[in-house]
Amino acid sequence: MTIRKWLRFFSVALLIGAVTTVLTSFFVQTDAYTPYLEPFDLWNLTGAVFWFIGWGLVYSVISQMGFFAYLTVHQFGRGFFGFFWNHVQIVLILIVLFDLVYLRYTRAEDPGSLFPYLVVPAMLLIYSYAVAKLKAKETHPRAFLPALFFMVVVTTVEWIPALRVDEREWVMLMIVPLLAVNTYQLLTLHKIVGFNEGPSETKEGKDKKKTK
């Protein structure tokens, strides 16, 4: 990847993080805007928008740090665990999904029904599965599991600051840009650096197949 391509990759990821955070804030933190609508206060309203843009840039940087850290971890895992790296990824995915339910439920002061705590991991898994299938379709079937691991495990690790606060508004405000930027990175990197499906057949090999 050249510096020019990386700068474009980085800039688009920043833009996605900023835009998705602002759009999400309109729905989950409307109280940040309503005081400046009646009466209309353009200066403070603009300030509120830029406040969320700033958070979006931070979330985007966290997402990009997690992505490039994962690329290193993935190579290390393949080298250290070998064939068993796929099994390790599956186990880690299950552990993270379980913890998203168990830890949030046990830390709540009045948890009530378990069902609401199942919704977030379920939605994360469904979305991650769809992205991983698309990644595998655009590259190779073996890319499915690493993509699923990245979208579930790495996204959750990046999401920890909001999960610790455990306030619905901040949880939603962070997860949406994280998923958006991670999806962009995962589905764009192979288009920039290229993807090698393996050695191509020689002309002699193709001729032999035709004669059979």
Side-chain angles (χ1 to χ4, degrees):
M1 181 186 293
T2 63
I3 295 297
R4 183 176 180 180
K5 289 182 178 180
W6 178 81
L7 286 175
R8 182 179 179 183
F9 184 79
F10 177 75
S11 301
V12 173
L14 285 178
L15 180 62
I16 292 173
V19 171
T20 53
T21 302
V22 171
L23 292 177
T24 305
S25 70
F26 291 151
F27 297 96
V28 301
Q29 289 202 349
T30 53
D31 292 343
Y33 299 103
T34 50
Y36 311 122
L37 296 177
E38 293 182 5
F40 186 75
D41 187 343
L42 179 60
W43 177 257
N44 285 316
L45 184 62
T46 304
V49 171
F50 274 99
W51 167 261
F52 288 110
I53 288 176
W55 278 112
L57 297 178
V58 171
Y59 297 153
S60 178
V61 171
I62 292 174
S63 174
Q64 294 184 66
M65 290 173 60
F67 181 65
F68 286 102
Y70 166 71
L71 295 178
T72 302
V73 170
H74 181 63
Q75 292 302 320
F76 173 80
R78 291 176 61 184
F80 185 80
F81 293 103
F83 170 77
F84 295 101
W85 176 231
N86 284 343
H87 301 80
V88 172
Q89 290 182 94
I90 293 173
V91 171
L92 290 175
I93 290 172
L94 294 176
I95 290 174
V96 167
L97 291 173
F98 174 78
D99 284 346
L100 275 176
V101 178
Y102 178 77
L103 293 181
R104 294 181 66 231
Y105 184 79
T106 55
R107 287 180 58 188
E109 295 182 1
D110 184 18
S113 174
L114 181 64
F115 179 76
Y117 295 90
L118 295 172
V119 173
V120 171
M123 295 301 295
L124 176 62
L125 180 60
I126 293 171
Y127 180 83
S128 300
Y129 179 86
V131 174
K133 288 291 289 184
L134 183 57
K135 176 72 174 183
K137 181 179 179 181
E138 293 185 356
T139 55
H140 192 279
R142 66 172 177 265
F144 172 79
L145 184 57
L148 183 65
F149 177 86
F150 170 71
M151 292 301 298
V152 174
V153 177
V154 179
T155 299
T156 302
V157 172
E158 297 166 349
W159 197 17
I160 286 176
L163 291 175
R164 284 181 175 176
V165 175
D166 200 24
E167 293 183 5
R168 187 186 65 86
E169 293 81 4
W170 286 101
V171 167
M172 292 302 300
L173 188 68
M174 190 173 189
I175 189 57
V176 174
L178 285 180
L179 286 175
V181 176
N182 282 344
T183 301
Y184 165 75
Q185 293 179 112
L186 191 65
L187 299 181
T188 304
L189 185 64
H190 64 271
K191 298 176 183 178
I192 298 176
V193 301
F195 178 79
N196 185 11
E197 296 185 12
S200 58
E201 292 183 299
T202 61
K203 183 177 180 181
E204 182 180 354
K206 292 180 180 180
D207 292 338
K208 286 182 179 180
K209 285 186 176 181
K210 290 180 181 179
T211 57
K212 289 182 179 180

